[in-house]
Amino acid sequence: MPHVVDDFQLGARAMRYSLFAPRLYNYCLSLGFQRDRMMPSRAFCSDESQGYPVILLMQHFGTFPFDHGRVGGKVATNRHGPHAHHGEDLVIIQASHVGYDPFARRFGVYQRQRTADRGFGDNCGKLCGILHWYQKEYEDAGRNVALATIDGAPAVFIDNHLLTQERAEGLFLRLDRLIADGVGAPLKVLSTAKGFPAAPGLVALLPAEMWTGGHTPIGSRLSPDMFFFRRTPPEGPEGPDLLEAALAPVMPILVTSARPALDAARFHTQVEFDRTYRSLRNGPEYRGKNLLFVAGLNIDVSPPPGMPFPLTKFVPWAAYIRLRDGSETLLEQDALFEALMRQSPDNADQLSLDAAILAMAQAEGVDVPA
């Protein structure tokens, strides 16, 4: 399924949050939403790097957003009802997120400025944490499948552990892609591995010199079509890890990607839009109200020295609109991006947070009864 992730384009479609938030607000106005009836909701990860987007949404919509999010940016679809009760013109913004270090040009990391060494850590930590187990399994397999020759013919030596099909979990090789004529009797038996004639397709795929250098680990040339994973998502306080279950179908693609954290976040946004779209379309919670659901990717660009917040960019993926009269519209990435770009980045209604906080601080106090 590599095309699924590749269809989510970045590049010129990424926009600063300081431009995305007012454009989103103005787009809502163009749909007939009214400011004093709008209630935004965000489905973001709990990471502190997501605070800046929340501040901007509050500034432009004039109210603190409802919370629709679970760790990793998963949408809590069981919160549709409470959200719908809080307004008449409802907006939901879902975004998985990925860190970016602009100096090293690395995705998946973010500088933790409040730690002792101010070092870079995983971001999104949840998505990266899920990937680590699968990445280790893949790296181990790359070291334990070796290319060599037996009697001058190309051969594959596979560790006995990888040949054990009865394992409960782990990386499992598609042996018919590696061994000629599937799994037959080995040509050579070693203490911890067995040698087999190499599949013709594998021989044709790899450079000739890889077969003549002794036992050469296959490494990163173990491609996604040569293996699959088996693993039951671990149980947590909220039950099975649904985020890991959602990523499982494309995990071979992710562990072989040059930018696994980015691709995991892109794929998760795609999955969450599809899942949430169906819950909104089939559920009764928003009937008789205006609704805009937008999904995309938050790219957390680590702030330069002296900046308190990340230079977050938003990459739109898709949107679903259902108006009070029952009419529906589905916008794919290009159409959504163009709709946002047609909107002004200026918002005459935006709230001054400093003025609002000062007015609240100077307001007459309210006594709370004992």
Side-chain angles (χ1 to χ4, degrees):
M1 296 173 63
H3 67 282
V4 175
V5 176
D6 292 343
D7 284 345
F8 191 159
Q9 300 298 310
L10 273 67
R13 291 171 179 80
M15 66 182 80
R16 286 174 177 259
Y17 243 88
S18 56
L19 298 176
F20 164 64
R23 283 175 173 152
L24 178 65
Y25 174 80
N26 287 327
Y27 183 55
C28 291
L29 294 181
S30 75
L31 295 174
F33 289 23
Q34 298 179 37
R35 178 177 178 81
D36 60 356
R37 294 196 169 196
M38 274 193 262
M39 176 53 64
S41 180
R42 89 281 191 186
F44 297 163
C45 185
S46 55
D47 198 310
E48 78 275 5
S49 63
Q50 304 307 285
Y52 177 58
V54 173
I55 291 172
L56 288 175
L57 291 173
M58 177 175 60
Q59 181 182 37
H60 287 281
F61 283 85
T63 183
F64 196 85
F66 187 88
D67 188 358
H68 239 104
R70 296 174 61 181
V71 66
K74 197 164 189 67
V75 179
T77 55
N78 60 346
R79 300 180 196 169
H80 289 343
H83 176 227
H85 290 153
H86 292 190
E88 297 301 320
D89 297 335
L90 291 310
V91 186
I92 304 172
I93 307 101
Q94 184 278 335
S96 302
H97 73 114
V98 63
Y100 182 65
D101 174 8
F103 300 103
R105 301 179 69 85
R106 290 186 301 163
F107 280 100
V109 294
Y110 184 81
Q111 188 174 22
R112 303 298 177 186
Q113 297 185 343
R114 300 298 177 105
T115 60
D117 63 357
R118 297 169 59 85
F120 283 82
D122 289 344
N123 186 294
C124 167
K126 175 63 175 176
L127 288 176
C128 291
I130 290 172
L131 287 172
H132 289 332
W133 183 89
Y134 295 90
Q135 289 171 318
K136 183 179 184 304
E137 288 286 311
Y138 176 69
E139 290 165 3
D140 288 346
R143 288 191 294 268
N144 288 294
V145 175
L147 311 175
T149 58
I150 297 176
D151 296 332
V156 179
F157 284 82
I158 301 175
D159 187 275
N160 289 335
H161 176 73
L162 291 170
L163 293 171
T164 304
Q165 299 297 310
E166 295 75 22
R167 289 173 288 140
E169 63 179 26
L171 182 148
F172 291 79
L173 298 171
R174 299 189 186 277
L175 295 173
D176 59 323
R177 308 287 175 89
L178 301 171
I179 299 173
D181 301 321
V183 184
L187 298 178
K188 196 165 187 177
V189 177
L190 305 179
S191 59
T192 61
K194 294 179 176 65
F196 302 88
L202 183 64
V203 176
L205 180 67
L206 300 181
E209 58 268 20
M210 292 200 69
W211 302 98
T212 58
H215 283 238
T216 304
I218 194 170
S220 61
R221 293 181 184 271
L222 187 67
S223 58
D225 62 322
M226 297 178 184
F227 65 94
F228 64 94
F229 290 104
R230 184 182 299 155
R231 174 170 158 93
T232 301
E235 292 277 341
E238 297 179 337
D241 194 324
L242 300 178
L243 193 57
E244 182 168 345
L247 293 174
V250 293
M251 200 57 77
I253 300 292
L254 298 180
V255 299
T256 56
S257 168
R259 300 178 297 186
L262 172 63
D263 284 346
R266 286 199 291 175
F267 179 73
H268 186 245
T269 294
Q270 293 172 311
V271 169
E272 282 303 284
F273 179 81
D274 186 88
R275 184 180 70 89
T276 306
Y277 155 75
R278 297 180 195 286
S279 72
L280 295 170
R281 195 160 189 253
N282 298 328
E285 295 90 349
Y286 293 95
R287 288 177 186 163
K289 303 199 176 192
N290 288 328
L291 170 68
L292 169 64
F293 168 45
V294 175
L297 176 65
N298 286 346
I299 300 178
D300 304 334
V301 182
S302 293
M307 288 267 189
F309 301 122
L311 305 178
T312 308
K313 290 181 176 289
F314 180 78
V315 186
W317 164 243
Y320 169 62
I321 305 160
R322 188 170 71 195
L323 300 181
R324 192 169 287 111
D325 62 8
S327 60
E328 296 177 299
T329 305
L330 188 62
L331 297 179
E332 302 295 347
Q333 187 177 28
D334 288 344
L336 173 58
F337 179 75
E338 291 167 6
L340 291 171
M341 291 302 292
R342 285 195 295 268
Q343 306 303 316
S344 170
D346 297 319
N347 175 12
D349 298 329
Q350 81 175 51
L351 183 69
S352 169
L353 297 181
D354 287 341
I357 292 171
L358 179 62
M360 293 165 64
Q362 295 177 343
E364 184 177 349
V366 176
D367 292 330
V368 178

